[in-house]
Amino acid sequence: MKKILIVEDNHDVRENLAEILELSGYQPITAENGKIGVEKAMQDPPDLILCDVMMPELDGFGVLHIISRNQRTADVPFIFLTAKAERDDFRRGMSLGADDYITKPFDETVLLQTIETRLKKSERLKAASAPNGGSGSLERFINEAKAMEAIRHLSDNREVRIYR
Amino acid sequence: MEQNLPDELYLRYRTVIETAVDGIITIDSSGVIESVNPAACRLFGYTREELEGRTVNMLMPSPHRDAHDSYIQRYLDTGEKRIIGIGREVKGMRKDGTLFPFWLSVAQIQLDGNFGFTGFIHDISDLKQAEEEIRQLNVDLEKKVNERTEQLAEVVNQLLSSNKLLEREIRERRAAEEALNKNRDELLRALDRERELSELKSRFVALASHEFRTPLSTILSSASLVKRYAELGNTEKQDFHLEKIRMGVNHLTGILNDFLNLTKLEEGLVEANPEPFNFTDFAAEIIDEISGLAKPGQRILWSDRTDGQEVRLDRRILKNVMYNLISNALKYSDRDVQCRSGFSSGWLEVEVRDHGIGIPETDQKYLFDRFFRAKNALNIQGTGLGLNIVRRYLDLLGGDINFTSREGEGTTFTLRLPIAKA
């Protein structure tokens, strides 16, 4: 089950988000401000981060800034979910490297769609750069080829009957 | 004239006299002309024969003509030398009646016991003429100088008045420039103020926008969840979220009202309309209406010492203020809220005290700022506008508000209002 970190200071919104995600088959982790958000992300890197912008202690932009500098968390898909709906805010968020930017009030369908899309993309990217045999597809091919070889040797030491 | 002199010397003396440039006339003690030299004749325009033997005053104009005899007499009597040995400038009268100026020097002769006088006549006509010319020249010069001075004075005057005009013009220009500069400065300042206001407005709108969007998110997401739980058949959760929606709408309405009030206050559209009312009744009314906001077990205790006295204040605004303070007290604490009211040295004093979370010291100075929420209050719902509105209302009513607080112990707000006893 995919872990999703929710960083949001408003209690109601946070709780509702957690419920929505849970009902959709994800495992939500919550943080009530940016500082705690970063801590939890470092501790146990989630599969996706949903982050508000206006928060005490550390705001959303600050969170992204720190997350993206840490190797463990830099590749985690990051979605801003915020009431800051001006174009400048949007541009700032995207320039910092967010994967998406959703404004409040948010549509549940849109949110879930975006999460799904980002998770899929993240999966593909992870597979493409898998550590054991960095050349993922090549590895598979060779393995497959080896398997083909093995099949050939199946008939070694066995009586071969040919039917035409 | 016969002399006892050697001829040679006599001739010499005679030649000297005859050829003298100045006129030489000798007279006896009675003024009769004894001898004249050619110069004298020439000067006066007479012949020798016309002069010798006549009285010398024929050569003088009046008044000397008539007085001459007395001059001689006076001298003979007193011996006082007036002209003798001294000389004087006098006027002579020619044969043709014209006068001419000459320098007369007189010497006394004594011959054979007889007195006589010699007069030396030195024509100073030319001198006089020259003098006159010089004088005239001087006069002319003076006149010219005066004229020129006049002209100069006039030019100077013109210049001065022109100068004055210029100075005045310069002053006017400078004043105009200053006025222009001041205008420009004022405009710049007004522009700055406008810019500031505009910035504040933008920030305010941005903040407000955020404050609206957050509860809207709750409402929308709760609505989605209600739908989900309906499909799942979970009525408990449905009710839970329906309640959330209801509260969200209330919260939103609260923010909207606060926001509108604040805007009205900022634009100076709110007026205080004082009316007389009974404060004790007023207090009771508030407790009644606001009890709905109290938590289970929480009470509002009001100790009122106005003794039913009527006060003259804007009742509506005051109600808003009290609502705000008391609802805060209820919201940020779990225990009873204590209110007190009474008169104190010309003011109506009202106190609202709670034993709740208190306000951290570092946050205290920002408490009345727009949208300010103290850091320990962030998980409790609030707009951050209430106290700002309260303070503005109190300004409108001519009152003031203060508070004391300790984090974790509680807060006491004290407001004062000027009372015009009805």
Side-chain angles (χ1 to χ4, degrees), chain B residues 53-106:
Chain B
R54 309 264 303 276
T55 47
V56 73
N57 58 4
M58 69 186 276
L59 300 175
M60 301 171 198
S62 338
H64 300 297
R65 169 188 287 236
D66 307 314
H68 193 253
D69 290 343
S70 65
Y71 294 158
I72 300 178
Q73 196 57 51
R74 188 175 60 206
Y75 174 66
L76 289 174
D77 291 341
T78 64
E80 266 176 36
K81 297 196 171 102
R82 293 282 169 94
I83 192 171
I84 295 176
I86 300 168
R88 188 191 297 177
E89 186 186 312
V90 298
K91 281 228 172 57
M93 190 164 78
R94 293 199 191 92
K95 181 176 179 183
D96 60 9
T98 56
L99 301 180
F100 72 96
F102 65 87
W103 184 266
L104 175 66
S105 29
V106 179

Short mmCIF file of all heavy atoms in Angstrom, two decimals, chain B residues 53-106:
data_model
loop_
_atom_site.label_atom_id
_atom_site.label_comp_id
_atom_site.label_asym_id
_atom_site.label_seq_id
_atom_site.Cartn_x
_atom_site.Cartn_y
_atom_site.Cartn_z
N GLY B 53 42.60 168.52 -13.86
CA GLY B 53 41.88 169.65 -13.29
C GLY B 53 40.47 169.31 -12.87
O GLY B 53 39.80 170.10 -12.21
N ARG B 54 40.00 168.14 -13.21
CA ARG B 54 38.62 167.77 -12.82
C ARG B 54 38.73 166.87 -11.58
O ARG B 54 39.75 166.28 -11.29
CB ARG B 54 37.92 167.00 -13.95
CG ARG B 54 37.99 167.69 -15.30
CD ARG B 54 36.73 168.51 -15.57
NE ARG B 54 35.52 167.71 -15.50
CZ ARG B 54 35.04 166.98 -16.52
NH1 ARG B 54 35.66 166.97 -17.72
NH2 ARG B 54 33.96 166.27 -16.38
N THR B 55 37.61 166.74 -10.86
CA THR B 55 37.66 165.88 -9.67
C THR B 55 37.61 164.41 -10.11
O THR B 55 36.94 164.06 -11.07
CB THR B 55 36.49 166.18 -8.71
OG1 THR B 55 35.29 166.23 -9.47
CG2 THR B 55 36.71 167.45 -7.96
N VAL B 56 38.33 163.65 -9.31
CA VAL B 56 38.53 162.26 -9.73
C VAL B 56 37.24 161.42 -9.67
O VAL B 56 37.10 160.41 -10.34
CB VAL B 56 39.65 161.59 -8.88
CG1 VAL B 56 39.16 161.29 -7.46
CG2 VAL B 56 40.18 160.34 -9.56
N ASN B 57 36.29 161.86 -8.90
CA ASN B 57 35.07 161.06 -8.78
C ASN B 57 34.25 161.02 -10.05
O ASN B 57 33.27 160.28 -10.16
CB ASN B 57 34.20 161.51 -7.59
CG ASN B 57 33.79 162.97 -7.69
OD1 ASN B 57 34.08 163.66 -8.67
ND2 ASN B 57 33.16 163.46 -6.66
N MET B 58 34.69 161.81 -11.07
CA MET B 58 33.99 161.69 -12.35
C MET B 58 34.25 160.32 -12.97
O MET B 58 33.51 159.87 -13.83
CB MET B 58 34.46 162.77 -13.34
CG MET B 58 35.90 162.56 -13.80
SD MET B 58 36.53 163.89 -14.82
CE MET B 58 35.91 163.40 -16.42
N LEU B 59 35.30 159.70 -12.45
CA LEU B 59 35.65 158.38 -12.99
C LEU B 59 34.97 157.24 -12.23
O LEU B 59 35.18 156.07 -12.51
CB LEU B 59 37.16 158.19 -12.94
CG LEU B 59 37.99 159.20 -13.73
CD1 LEU B 59 39.48 158.97 -13.50
CD2 LEU B 59 37.68 159.13 -15.22
N MET B 60 34.18 157.64 -11.23
CA MET B 60 33.55 156.61 -10.40
C MET B 60 32.06 156.56 -10.60
O MET B 60 31.43 157.60 -10.80
CB MET B 60 33.81 156.91 -8.91
CG MET B 60 35.25 156.95 -8.54
SD MET B 60 35.41 157.56 -6.85
CE MET B 60 37.10 158.02 -6.84
N PRO B 61 31.50 155.36 -10.51
CA PRO B 61 30.04 155.30 -10.55
C PRO B 61 29.51 155.54 -9.16
O PRO B 61 30.26 155.46 -8.18
CB PRO B 61 29.78 153.86 -11.01
CG PRO B 61 30.93 153.09 -10.50
CD PRO B 61 32.10 154.03 -10.48
N SER B 62 28.25 155.85 -9.08
CA SER B 62 27.65 155.92 -7.75
C SER B 62 27.70 154.52 -7.15
O SER B 62 27.68 153.55 -7.88
CB SER B 62 26.19 156.36 -7.79
OG SER B 62 25.93 157.05 -8.97
N PRO B 63 27.77 154.35 -5.84
CA PRO B 63 27.64 155.47 -4.86
C PRO B 63 28.95 156.16 -4.50
O PRO B 63 28.98 157.16 -3.83
CB PRO B 63 27.07 154.75 -3.63
CG PRO B 63 27.63 153.38 -3.72
CD PRO B 63 27.80 153.07 -5.17
N HIS B 64 30.06 155.54 -5.02
CA HIS B 64 31.38 156.06 -4.62
C HIS B 64 31.62 157.48 -5.10
O HIS B 64 32.32 158.26 -4.46
CB HIS B 64 32.48 155.14 -5.13
CG HIS B 64 32.34 153.75 -4.59
ND1 HIS B 64 32.43 153.49 -3.25
CD2 HIS B 64 32.07 152.57 -5.22
CE1 HIS B 64 32.25 152.18 -3.05
NE2 HIS B 64 32.01 151.58 -4.26
N ARG B 65 31.00 157.73 -6.23
CA ARG B 65 31.22 159.08 -6.80
C ARG B 65 30.91 160.15 -5.78
O ARG B 65 31.68 161.07 -5.55
CB ARG B 65 30.32 159.21 -8.02
CG ARG B 65 30.25 160.66 -8.55
CD ARG B 65 29.19 160.77 -9.63
NE ARG B 65 29.68 160.12 -10.83
CZ ARG B 65 29.78 160.72 -12.01
NH1 ARG B 65 29.45 161.95 -12.14
NH2 ARG B 65 30.24 160.06 -13.06
N ASP B 66 29.74 159.94 -5.13
CA ASP B 66 29.32 160.97 -4.18
C ASP B 66 30.06 160.85 -2.87
O ASP B 66 30.26 161.85 -2.17
CB ASP B 66 27.81 160.87 -3.94
CG ASP B 66 27.05 160.87 -5.27
OD1 ASP B 66 27.40 161.72 -6.10
OD2 ASP B 66 26.16 159.99 -5.45
N ALA B 67 30.48 159.66 -2.59
CA ALA B 67 31.08 159.46 -1.27
C ALA B 67 32.57 159.72 -1.25
O ALA B 67 33.20 159.74 -0.19
CB ALA B 67 30.79 158.04 -0.82
N HIS B 68 33.18 159.84 -2.44
CA HIS B 68 34.64 159.91 -2.50
C HIS B 68 35.24 161.02 -1.66
O HIS B 68 36.25 160.82 -0.97
CB HIS B 68 35.12 160.01 -3.95
CG HIS B 68 36.59 159.78 -4.07
ND1 HIS B 68 37.45 160.84 -4.32
CD2 HIS B 68 37.33 158.67 -3.92
CE1 HIS B 68 38.71 160.34 -4.36
NE2 HIS B 68 38.65 159.02 -4.10
N ASP B 69 34.59 162.12 -1.76
CA ASP B 69 35.11 163.27 -0.99
C ASP B 69 35.18 162.89 0.49
O ASP B 69 36.15 163.21 1.17
CB ASP B 69 34.23 164.50 -1.17
CG ASP B 69 34.36 165.06 -2.59
OD1 ASP B 69 35.36 164.69 -3.26
OD2 ASP B 69 33.47 165.79 -3.01
N SER B 70 34.17 162.27 0.94
CA SER B 70 34.13 161.94 2.36
C SER B 70 35.19 160.89 2.70
O SER B 70 35.71 160.87 3.81
CB SER B 70 32.73 161.43 2.73
OG SER B 70 32.47 160.22 2.07
N TYR B 71 35.52 160.01 1.73
CA TYR B 71 36.56 159.00 1.96
C TYR B 71 37.88 159.73 2.28
O TYR B 71 38.57 159.40 3.25
CB TYR B 71 36.80 158.11 0.72
CG TYR B 71 35.64 157.20 0.35
CD1 TYR B 71 35.54 156.70 -0.95
CD2 TYR B 71 34.65 156.86 1.29
CE1 TYR B 71 34.50 155.87 -1.28
CE2 TYR B 71 33.60 156.03 0.93
CZ TYR B 71 33.53 155.53 -0.36
OH TYR B 71 32.50 154.71 -0.70
N ILE B 72 38.18 160.69 1.37
CA ILE B 72 39.45 161.44 1.52
C ILE B 72 39.46 162.15 2.87
O ILE B 72 40.42 162.06 3.63
CB ILE B 72 39.66 162.47 0.39
CG1 ILE B 72 39.69 161.74 -0.95
CG2 ILE B 72 40.93 163.26 0.61
CD1 ILE B 72 39.84 162.68 -2.14
N GLN B 73 38.33 162.81 3.09
CA GLN B 73 38.24 163.56 4.33
C GLN B 73 38.45 162.66 5.52
O GLN B 73 39.17 162.99 6.45
CB GLN B 73 36.87 164.25 4.39
CG GLN B 73 36.78 165.38 5.45
CD GLN B 73 37.83 166.44 5.22
OE1 GLN B 73 37.99 166.98 4.12
NE2 GLN B 73 38.59 166.77 6.26
N ARG B 74 37.78 161.55 5.50
CA ARG B 74 37.86 160.57 6.60
C ARG B 74 39.31 160.19 6.82
O ARG B 74 39.79 160.12 7.94
CB ARG B 74 37.02 159.33 6.29
CG ARG B 74 36.92 158.38 7.50
CD ARG B 74 35.97 157.21 7.23
NE ARG B 74 36.44 156.42 6.09
CZ ARG B 74 35.63 155.70 5.32
NH1 ARG B 74 34.34 155.66 5.55
NH2 ARG B 74 36.12 155.03 4.29
N TYR B 75 40.02 159.88 5.75
CA TYR B 75 41.41 159.49 5.89
C TYR B 75 42.24 160.61 6.50
O TYR B 75 43.04 160.36 7.42
CB TYR B 75 41.99 159.10 4.52
CG TYR B 75 43.47 158.82 4.63
CD1 TYR B 75 43.94 157.73 5.38
CD2 TYR B 75 44.41 159.73 4.07
CE1 TYR B 75 45.30 157.49 5.51
CE2 TYR B 75 45.76 159.47 4.22
CZ TYR B 75 46.20 158.36 4.93
OH TYR B 75 47.53 158.14 5.08
N LEU B 76 42.01 161.82 6.01
CA LEU B 76 42.80 162.94 6.50
C LEU B 76 42.55 163.14 7.99
O LEU B 76 43.43 163.47 8.76
CB LEU B 76 42.46 164.21 5.71
CG LEU B 76 42.98 164.20 4.27
CD1 LEU B 76 42.47 165.43 3.54
CD2 LEU B 76 44.51 164.20 4.22
N ASP B 77 41.28 162.87 8.36
CA ASP B 77 40.95 163.07 9.77
C ASP B 77 41.47 161.91 10.65
O ASP B 77 42.09 162.14 11.68
CB ASP B 77 39.41 163.14 9.94
CG ASP B 77 38.87 164.44 9.32
OD1 ASP B 77 39.65 165.37 9.13
OD2 ASP B 77 37.65 164.45 9.06
N THR B 78 41.21 160.72 10.19
CA THR B 78 41.50 159.57 11.08
C THR B 78 42.84 158.90 10.82
O THR B 78 43.39 158.25 11.70
CB THR B 78 40.42 158.49 10.91
OG1 THR B 78 40.50 157.99 9.58
CG2 THR B 78 39.03 159.03 11.17
N GLY B 79 43.29 159.07 9.58
CA GLY B 79 44.53 158.37 9.25
C GLY B 79 44.30 156.87 9.03
O GLY B 79 45.24 156.10 8.87
N GLU B 80 43.07 156.43 9.09
CA GLU B 80 42.76 155.01 8.88
C GLU B 80 42.89 154.66 7.42
O GLU B 80 42.26 155.27 6.58
CB GLU B 80 41.32 154.71 9.32
CG GLU B 80 41.21 154.22 10.75
CD GLU B 80 39.76 154.04 11.15
OE1 GLU B 80 38.94 153.62 10.29
OE2 GLU B 80 39.43 154.34 12.32
N LYS B 81 43.77 153.69 7.21
CA LYS B 81 43.99 153.28 5.82
C LYS B 81 42.94 152.26 5.42
O LYS B 81 42.88 151.16 5.95
CB LYS B 81 45.39 152.69 5.66
CG LYS B 81 46.49 153.69 5.96
CD LYS B 81 47.84 153.20 5.42
CE LYS B 81 48.85 154.30 5.53
NZ LYS B 81 49.80 154.22 6.61
N ARG B 82 42.10 152.66 4.45
CA ARG B 82 41.11 151.71 3.96
C ARG B 82 41.59 151.09 2.68
O ARG B 82 41.42 149.93 2.40
CB ARG B 82 39.76 152.39 3.72
CG ARG B 82 39.10 152.86 4.99
CD ARG B 82 38.44 151.66 5.72
NE ARG B 82 38.03 152.06 7.08
CZ ARG B 82 36.82 152.50 7.38
NH1 ARG B 82 35.91 152.63 6.43
NH2 ARG B 82 36.56 152.88 8.62
N ILE B 83 42.14 151.98 1.86
CA ILE B 83 42.63 151.52 0.57
C ILE B 83 44.09 151.84 0.39
O ILE B 83 44.80 151.15 -0.34
CB ILE B 83 41.76 152.11 -0.57
CG1 ILE B 83 42.11 151.36 -1.90
CG2 ILE B 83 41.98 153.60 -0.70
CD1 ILE B 83 41.17 151.71 -3.01
N ILE B 84 44.52 152.84 1.10
CA ILE B 84 45.88 153.28 0.92
C ILE B 84 46.85 152.22 1.41
O ILE B 84 46.76 151.76 2.54
CB ILE B 84 46.12 154.60 1.68
CG1 ILE B 84 45.23 155.65 1.00
CG2 ILE B 84 47.59 154.99 1.65
CD1 ILE B 84 45.27 156.99 1.67
N GLY B 85 47.70 151.87 0.52
CA GLY B 85 48.68 150.82 0.85
C GLY B 85 48.09 149.42 0.82
O GLY B 85 48.74 148.44 1.04
N ILE B 86 46.83 149.37 0.51
CA ILE B 86 46.19 148.04 0.54
C ILE B 86 45.75 147.60 -0.86
O ILE B 86 46.14 146.58 -1.39
CB ILE B 86 44.98 148.05 1.49
CG1 ILE B 86 45.41 148.43 2.90
CG2 ILE B 86 44.30 146.68 1.47
CD1 ILE B 86 44.28 148.75 3.84
N GLY B 87 44.93 148.45 -1.40
CA GLY B 87 44.44 148.11 -2.73
C GLY B 87 43.09 147.43 -2.65
O GLY B 87 42.74 146.80 -1.67
N ARG B 88 42.35 147.67 -3.72
CA ARG B 88 40.99 147.12 -3.73
C ARG B 88 40.49 147.00 -5.16
O ARG B 88 40.93 147.70 -6.06
CB ARG B 88 40.10 148.05 -2.94
CG ARG B 88 38.70 147.49 -2.73
CD ARG B 88 37.80 148.54 -2.19
NE ARG B 88 38.26 148.99 -0.87
CZ ARG B 88 37.67 149.96 -0.18
NH1 ARG B 88 36.64 150.60 -0.69
NH2 ARG B 88 38.12 150.32 1.00
N GLU B 89 39.55 146.15 -5.28
CA GLU B 89 38.92 146.05 -6.59
C GLU B 89 37.78 147.04 -6.63
O GLU B 89 36.91 147.04 -5.76
CB GLU B 89 38.36 144.63 -6.75
CG GLU B 89 37.81 144.36 -8.14
CD GLU B 89 37.15 143.00 -8.22
OE1 GLU B 89 37.74 141.99 -7.76
OE2 GLU B 89 36.01 142.94 -8.74
N VAL B 90 37.78 147.87 -7.67
CA VAL B 90 36.69 148.86 -7.80
C VAL B 90 36.20 148.90 -9.23
O VAL B 90 36.80 148.33 -10.13
CB VAL B 90 37.14 150.26 -7.37
CG1 VAL B 90 37.52 150.27 -5.90
CG2 VAL B 90 38.28 150.73 -8.22
N LYS B 91 35.14 149.63 -9.40
CA LYS B 91 34.60 149.80 -10.75
C LYS B 91 34.85 151.23 -11.21
O LYS B 91 34.63 152.19 -10.47
CB LYS B 91 33.09 149.53 -10.75
CG LYS B 91 32.75 148.07 -10.75
CD LYS B 91 31.70 147.75 -11.80
CE LYS B 91 31.47 146.27 -11.96
NZ LYS B 91 31.08 145.59 -10.76
N GLY B 92 35.29 151.34 -12.47
CA GLY B 92 35.50 152.68 -13.04
C GLY B 92 34.47 152.96 -14.10
O GLY B 92 33.93 152.05 -14.71
N MET B 93 34.20 154.24 -14.28
CA MET B 93 33.23 154.61 -15.31
C MET B 93 33.93 155.31 -16.43
O MET B 93 34.60 156.32 -16.25
CB MET B 93 32.16 155.51 -14.70
CG MET B 93 30.98 155.71 -15.67
SD MET B 93 29.53 156.35 -14.85
CE MET B 93 29.97 158.06 -14.69
N ARG B 94 33.76 154.77 -17.64
CA ARG B 94 34.41 155.38 -18.79
C ARG B 94 33.65 156.62 -19.23
O ARG B 94 32.54 156.89 -18.76
CB ARG B 94 34.47 154.39 -19.95
CG ARG B 94 35.37 153.21 -19.69
CD ARG B 94 35.74 152.55 -21.01
NE ARG B 94 36.38 151.29 -20.78
CZ ARG B 94 35.72 150.11 -20.72
NH1 ARG B 94 34.41 150.08 -20.89
NH2 ARG B 94 36.39 149.00 -20.49
N LYS B 95 34.27 157.27 -20.19
CA LYS B 95 33.62 158.46 -20.74
C LYS B 95 32.26 158.12 -21.32
O LYS B 95 31.29 158.85 -21.17
CB LYS B 95 34.52 159.07 -21.83
CG LYS B 95 33.95 160.36 -22.48
CD LYS B 95 34.94 160.96 -23.50
CE LYS B 95 34.31 162.22 -24.12
NZ LYS B 95 35.18 162.82 -25.15
N ASP B 96 32.18 156.89 -21.98
CA ASP B 96 30.91 156.57 -22.62
C ASP B 96 29.89 156.00 -21.63
O ASP B 96 28.83 155.53 -22.00
CB ASP B 96 31.14 155.58 -23.79
CG ASP B 96 31.76 154.27 -23.28
OD1 ASP B 96 31.85 154.07 -22.04
OD2 ASP B 96 32.15 153.43 -24.12
N GLY B 97 30.21 156.10 -20.38
CA GLY B 97 29.26 155.68 -19.36
C GLY B 97 29.37 154.21 -18.97
O GLY B 97 28.77 153.76 -17.98
N THR B 98 30.15 153.45 -19.74
CA THR B 98 30.27 152.02 -19.39
C THR B 98 31.20 151.83 -18.19
O THR B 98 32.10 152.61 -17.98
CB THR B 98 30.81 151.20 -20.59
OG1 THR B 98 32.06 151.77 -21.00
CG2 THR B 98 29.84 151.20 -21.74
N LEU B 99 30.96 150.80 -17.49
CA LEU B 99 31.76 150.52 -16.31
C LEU B 99 32.76 149.42 -16.64
O LEU B 99 32.51 148.57 -17.46
CB LEU B 99 30.86 150.07 -15.16
CG LEU B 99 29.78 151.05 -14.72
CD1 LEU B 99 28.99 150.45 -13.56
CD2 LEU B 99 30.40 152.37 -14.29
N PHE B 100 33.88 149.50 -15.95
CA PHE B 100 34.83 148.40 -16.10
C PHE B 100 35.50 148.14 -14.76
O PHE B 100 35.68 149.07 -13.98
CB PHE B 100 35.85 148.65 -17.22
CG PHE B 100 36.87 149.71 -16.88
CD1 PHE B 100 38.12 149.38 -16.36
CD2 PHE B 100 36.56 151.08 -17.02
CE1 PHE B 100 39.05 150.35 -16.02
CE2 PHE B 100 37.50 152.05 -16.68
CZ PHE B 100 38.75 151.71 -16.18
N PRO B 101 35.88 146.95 -14.50
CA PRO B 101 36.50 146.63 -13.21
C PRO B 101 38.01 146.84 -13.27
O PRO B 101 38.66 146.54 -14.26
CB PRO B 101 36.17 145.15 -13.04
CG PRO B 101 36.07 144.62 -14.44
CD PRO B 101 35.69 145.75 -15.32
N PHE B 102 38.55 147.37 -12.18
CA PHE B 102 40.00 147.46 -12.11
C PHE B 102 40.47 147.34 -10.68
O PHE B 102 39.71 147.50 -9.74
CB PHE B 102 40.54 148.75 -12.76
CG PHE B 102 40.12 150.01 -12.07
CD1 PHE B 102 40.86 150.54 -11.01
CD2 PHE B 102 38.98 150.72 -12.48
CE1 PHE B 102 40.49 151.72 -10.38
CE2 PHE B 102 38.62 151.92 -11.84
CZ PHE B 102 39.36 152.41 -10.79
N TRP B 103 41.79 147.02 -10.55
CA TRP B 103 42.37 146.92 -9.23
C TRP B 103 43.01 148.28 -8.95
O TRP B 103 43.88 148.72 -9.69
CB TRP B 103 43.44 145.82 -9.18
CG TRP B 103 43.99 145.64 -7.80
CD1 TRP B 103 45.11 146.22 -7.26
CD2 TRP B 103 43.42 144.89 -6.75
NE1 TRP B 103 45.28 145.87 -5.96
CE2 TRP B 103 44.22 145.01 -5.61
CE3 TRP B 103 42.26 144.07 -6.66
CZ2 TRP B 103 43.94 144.39 -4.42
CZ3 TRP B 103 42.02 143.46 -5.45
CH2 TRP B 103 42.84 143.61 -4.34
N LEU B 104 42.54 148.90 -7.86
CA LEU B 104 43.05 150.23 -7.52
C LEU B 104 43.98 150.11 -6.34
O LEU B 104 43.60 149.60 -5.28
CB LEU B 104 41.89 151.17 -7.17
CG LEU B 104 42.28 152.56 -6.66
CD1 LEU B 104 42.97 153.38 -7.74
CD2 LEU B 104 41.04 153.34 -6.18
N SER B 105 45.21 150.55 -6.50
CA SER B 105 46.08 150.69 -5.32
C SER B 105 46.43 152.17 -5.19
O SER B 105 46.68 152.87 -6.17
CB SER B 105 47.33 149.82 -5.44
OG SER B 105 47.71 149.62 -6.77
N VAL B 106 46.38 152.64 -3.97
CA VAL B 106 46.59 154.09 -3.71
C VAL B 106 47.79 154.28 -2.82
O VAL B 106 47.93 153.61 -1.80
CB VAL B 106 45.33 154.71 -3.06
CG1 VAL B 106 45.59 156.20 -2.77
CG2 VAL B 106 44.12 154.55 -3.98
#
